[in-house]
Amino acid sequence: MTETDFIPSAYKNDVKEGVVCYKSPSNIALVKYWGKKENQIPQNPSISFTLDACATTTQIAFTKLEKEADDFSFDLWFEGKPKEDFKPKITIFLKRIEKYLPFLKSYYLKIETSNSFPHSSGIASSASGMSAMALCLMDIEKQLNPDLSDDLFTKKASFLARLGSGSACRSIEGDIIQWGVHKETEGSSDLFGIKYPYEVHNNFKNFHDTILLVDKGQKQVSSTVGHNLMYNHPYATQRFNQAHENLNKLKSVFKKGDLVEFIKIVESEALTLHAMMMTSMPYFILMKPNTLEIINKIWEFREKSRTHVCFTLDAGANVHVLYPENEKAVVNQFIKDELVVFCENQQYICDRIGFGAKKL
């Protein structure tokens, strides 16, 4: 598919008003995407677990204007209060997607959004937030054009979400989503995420992710700035090749249920992401001392307990502790006994693999 496949023909229905609401989850990348081209196209493919508990709920009440406006007409409410400082980001998003949703300037939108996790908890809400909003807007388009197929609806929602936040395209569906062209993956695309199309062993069903909130402050550097630093990065080419190779390796890992190899790939990917940040120009360190304390504790515990607990990181200090369902009890006890002390205000979030967004 190409971008032009997402430009609709004339709408069949005239819809005066309505309300749509979606709950969309966050996701955690196993193979990381870091570096992008124009129009939110990734420099390398990525794959993620869709989460369940960490989610954004967005409701859009829409009313048709008497005539099409010159600009976008919307108000934004976050957690029950008007949120003016979010509006510029939404305006940029609407400008990017207007070509694909030509109805946008014909309606006034009241957007109300809230997160299941605390704002400024250090959990990125752009993936869940942008995917929830993309789904609401697609639902409006489906009302204007009821012939829109379910398959095109899903792909276009992912396509639009990507234009708001790259990783948001991996939050529409679950449980394992791949994004970015990869020659070994049938149907893979830079334009939208796809459900992982190959066999996955039961070892990876109901996988758990406990998110340790090491630092709940504002990120030191925005993801957009970080991605752009890959343009002249001395190790960029090697990194992009590594991502392709790790996706190749994951195919047999997922099929065989090989938790030992899974750990090697996932932890290496997390550390490589941070290595790229530390070796860019300008360079930066997003890990905190407690991030490293947690990583070392996980390594010690895994060796001692012979469990398959591991970690991954986003572009921040928080640690995602990953472990299979059958080791839940022993790993949860370890987290409470030895890791929670390194969290800010001892806060952490228990999550697990989920199956994508839901209409409410």
Side-chain angles (χ1 to χ4, degrees):
M1 294 183 79
T2 67
E3 285 97 334
T4 54
D5 292 314
F6 296 111
I7 298 173
S9 48
Y11 295 130
K12 294 188 172 180
N13 287 357
D14 181 28
V15 182
K16 299 295 185 191
E17 61 182 10
V19 180
V20 290
C21 186
Y22 279 82
K23 180 181 179 183
S24 189
S26 192
N27 66 76
I28 180 65
L30 307 171
V31 171
K32 310 292 184 181
Y33 119 84
W34 196 244
K36 58 188 173 186
K37 307 169 195 173
E38 280 186 325
N39 299 323
Q40 301 284 92
I41 298 295
Q43 290 275 16
N44 67 267
S46 57
I47 194 167
S48 58
F49 281 156
T50 307
L51 297 179
D52 183 52
C54 290
T56 299
T57 300
T58 297
Q59 176 180 288
I60 298 183
F62 58 100
T63 309
K64 191 162 189 185
L65 303 168
E66 287 186 15
K67 63 172 187 171
E68 186 175 297
D70 294 329
D71 205 350
F72 304 108
S73 175
F74 72 94
D75 285 305
L76 184 74
W77 293 63
F78 177 70
E79 316 258 305
K81 296 176 184 172
K83 194 74 173 166
E84 289 298 313
D85 54 333
F86 278 16
K87 288 182 81 171
K89 187 171 185 179
I90 301 301
T91 301
I92 290 168
F93 175 52
L94 295 175
K95 280 180 182 168
R96 284 179 182 167
I97 66 173
E98 183 186 8
K99 180 163 78 169
Y100 309 105
L101 295 177
F103 68 82
L104 284 172
K105 284 181 180 168
S106 299
Y107 288 87
Y108 164 73
L109 308 175
K110 184 182 180 184
I111 305 164
E112 298 179 80
T113 187
S114 62
N115 294 333
S116 65
F117 46 92
H119 184 56
S120 78
S121 65
I123 301 293
S125 58
S126 56
S128 54
M130 286 300 180
S131 54
M133 188 167 171
L135 283 159
C136 287
L137 295 173
M138 279 307 300
D139 197 292
I140 298 170
E141 181 163 86
K142 176 85 171 174
Q143 293 179 46
L144 294 166
N145 180 18
D147 295 339
L148 189 68
S149 71
D150 290 345
D151 180 60
L152 184 57
F153 180 100
T154 301
K155 282 177 178 164
K156 186 169 175 179
S158 179
F159 169 83
L160 297 175
R162 189 198 91 240
L163 293 171
S165 169
S167 58
C169 77
R170 298 191 310 246
S171 281
I172 304 294
E173 297 182 284
D175 49 355
I176 300 175
I177 300 296
Q178 191 166 322
W179 168 43
V181 169
H182 177 241
K183 66 175 190 241
E184 302 294 325
T185 306
E186 194 178 333
S188 61
S189 173
D190 285 340
L191 300 181
F192 48 83
I194 62 164
K195 283 172 76 75
Y196 182 70
Y198 303 116
E199 189 179 341
V200 178
H201 192 280
N202 279 338
N203 282 351
F204 297 105
K205 305 294 182 185
N206 298 317
F207 227 76
H208 290 263
D209 177 9
T210 298
I211 306 155
L212 306 179
L213 304 179
V214 173
D215 180 23
K216 304 197 305 177
Q218 187 72 30
K219 269 203 305 195
Q220 184 183 325
V221 64
S222 77
S223 292
T224 300
V225 170
H227 283 294
N228 288 341
L229 291 174
M230 289 298 282
Y231 280 119
N232 299 308
H233 200 292
Y235 309 127
T237 302
Q238 294 94 320
R239 164 57 203 151
F240 302 146
N241 289 340
Q242 180 194 38
H244 282 272
E245 287 163 15
N246 281 338
L247 271 170
N248 289 342
K249 291 175 186 171
L250 272 178
K251 192 170 179 180
S252 76
V253 164
F254 280 143
K255 185 176 181 179
K256 294 175 186 171
D258 189 339
L259 291 165
V260 173
E261 282 303 309
F262 174 81
I263 288 167
K264 289 178 187 173
I265 293 166
V266 168
E267 292 190 342
S268 165
E269 278 283 323
L271 295 173
T272 301
L273 172 67
H274 283 259
M276 291 295 107
M277 298 178 209
M278 287 190 264
T279 49
S280 60
M281 188 60 75
Y283 42 81
F284 44 96
I285 299 175
L286 295 187
M287 286 193 251
K288 301 289 184 187
N290 280 355
T291 309
L292 296 173
E293 291 280 2
I294 289 166
I295 288 170
N296 280 309
K297 288 280 184 188
I298 288 171
W299 284 343
E300 287 169 20
F301 178 77
R302 188 166 70 222
E303 182 72 25
K304 184 175 66 184
S305 65
R306 294 285 181 255
T307 56
H308 299 91
V309 60
C310 67
F311 71 88
T312 189
L313 308 165
D314 265 339
N318 298 329
V319 182
H320 290 250
V321 186
L322 302 174
Y323 48 99
E325 168 77 13
N326 65 349
E327 295 175 0
K328 178 184 169 185
V330 65
V331 175
N332 276 345
Q333 196 59 52
F334 158 63
I335 290 168
K336 288 175 189 168
D337 292 347
E338 297 193 45
L339 300 186
V340 170
V341 67
F342 298 111
C343 300
E344 190 174 326
N345 301 326
Q346 301 205 349
Q347 280 190 290
Y348 63 102
I349 298 170
C350 292
D351 210 334
R352 63 164 71 207
I353 278 187
F355 296 91
K358 298 180 183 74
K359 184 175 181 177
L360 302 180

